[in-house]
Amino acid sequence: YDYGSPIATTFYNYFYEAELIQTNPASIVHAPKFHEKEIIKLDPNEVAELLDIVEYGSEQESKHQEAYHKVTKKRDLAMLSLLLGTGIRVSECVGLDIKDVDFDNNAIRIIRKGGNEAKVYFGDEVEDVMREYIDKRKRIIPLNGHENALFLSIQNRRISVRAVENLVKKYASQVTTLKKITPHKLR
């Protein structure tokens, strides 16, 4: 029996106050927290629109933004598809090395929050964009110390969590202004 439930607490309080029981065991058990906030997530059509914007760009882009988008679109599409298709954390995504991708099993090897290693599987759509990105990635010469990194920044360093957060914010703001979408919401 859940002594911490609101019903049990009220039940025991009634008997305790009526002096029908000597102690109130429910008073020492903490009730579970109820989240009042609505869960914010993208609808399936918004996810499709987000990926379209990443792949094809948007009409509001300036010439400079369009040139930048051409350079980063394969990386951005691979990263966002991987985040959406697997539910991994941003820190797990930016920590990926090229050798962590296994196309034989459509899986990635990640290091979880507690330091544990795990294999996470992905679908065919993610495989397609990952293959395209890795083909491009092999032609990029990274800075010393960043040779193994799967996802690189424009400066050819391992991309940071902050950069991915900004990237998601940039693309998501073009899809919806009513929802504050963060990389965690993609999970």
Side-chain angles (χ1 to χ4, degrees):
Y1 190 78
D2 182 11
Y3 291 105
S5 73
I7 294 169
T9 304
T10 305
F11 177 74
Y12 277 101
N13 277 341
Y14 171 77
F15 282 113
Y16 181 72
E17 289 172 8
E19 297 181 355
L20 297 171
I21 57 174
Q22 299 296 318
T23 60
N24 182 356
S27 67
I28 59 171
V29 178
H30 296 289
K33 291 183 181 179
F34 292 101
H35 296 283
E36 299 291 325
K37 293 195 305 188
E38 180 185 342
I39 296 172
I40 298 170
K41 60 184 179 180
L42 289 173
D43 300 327
N45 62 326
E46 291 172 325
V47 171
E49 189 179 342
L50 175 76
L51 293 175
D52 283 347
I53 288 172
V54 175
E55 189 167 8
Y56 305 112
S58 80
E59 293 144 14
Q60 297 105 356
E61 289 179 341
S62 67
K63 292 288 181 197
H64 177 73
Q65 290 170 321
E66 195 175 312
Y68 183 82
H69 181 258
K70 281 183 181 178
V71 173
T72 63
K73 83 174 182 179
K74 286 189 192 245
R75 179 203 65 193
D76 296 352
L77 187 60
M79 219 179 329
L80 289 177
S81 296
L82 193 62
L83 288 168
L84 286 163
T86 61
I88 63 173
R89 290 178 173 84
V90 179
S91 58
E92 296 164 348
C93 181
V94 300
L96 286 171
D97 289 336
I98 295 172
K99 66 178 175 28
D100 294 332
V101 182
D102 173 13
F103 286 117
D104 293 334
N105 298 304
N106 275 5
I108 52 173
R109 184 186 68 82
I110 60 170
I111 306 300
R112 288 283 186 198
K113 207 172 180 180
N116 299 327
E117 190 176 299
K119 235 181 190 186
V120 178
Y121 298 91
F122 52 82
D124 295 337
E125 297 93 3
V126 175
E127 177 190 5
D128 294 341
V129 294
M130 287 293 290
R131 282 187 186 277
E132 281 185 40
Y133 170 69
I134 288 177
D135 285 345
K136 180 181 179 181
R137 167 62 183 85
K138 288 178 181 174
R139 295 188 299 271
I140 299 171
I141 300 167
L143 291 178
N144 286 340
H146 301 271
E147 296 87 2
N148 299 324
L150 176 60
F151 295 112
L152 296 173
S153 68
I154 290 292
Q155 297 82 24
N156 294 337
R157 294 184 171 107
R158 184 181 295 272
I159 197 163
S160 68
V161 170
R162 174 67 61 111
V164 177
E165 289 170 347
N166 290 338
L167 185 126
V168 169
K169 184 178 175 182
K170 175 183 89 169
Y171 288 120
S173 68
Q174 294 176 43
V175 174
T176 177
T177 55
L178 301 176
K179 299 176 184 176
K180 185 178 181 245
I181 301 298
T182 63
H184 188 76
K185 303 268 189 319
L186 300 180
R187 297 186 78 198

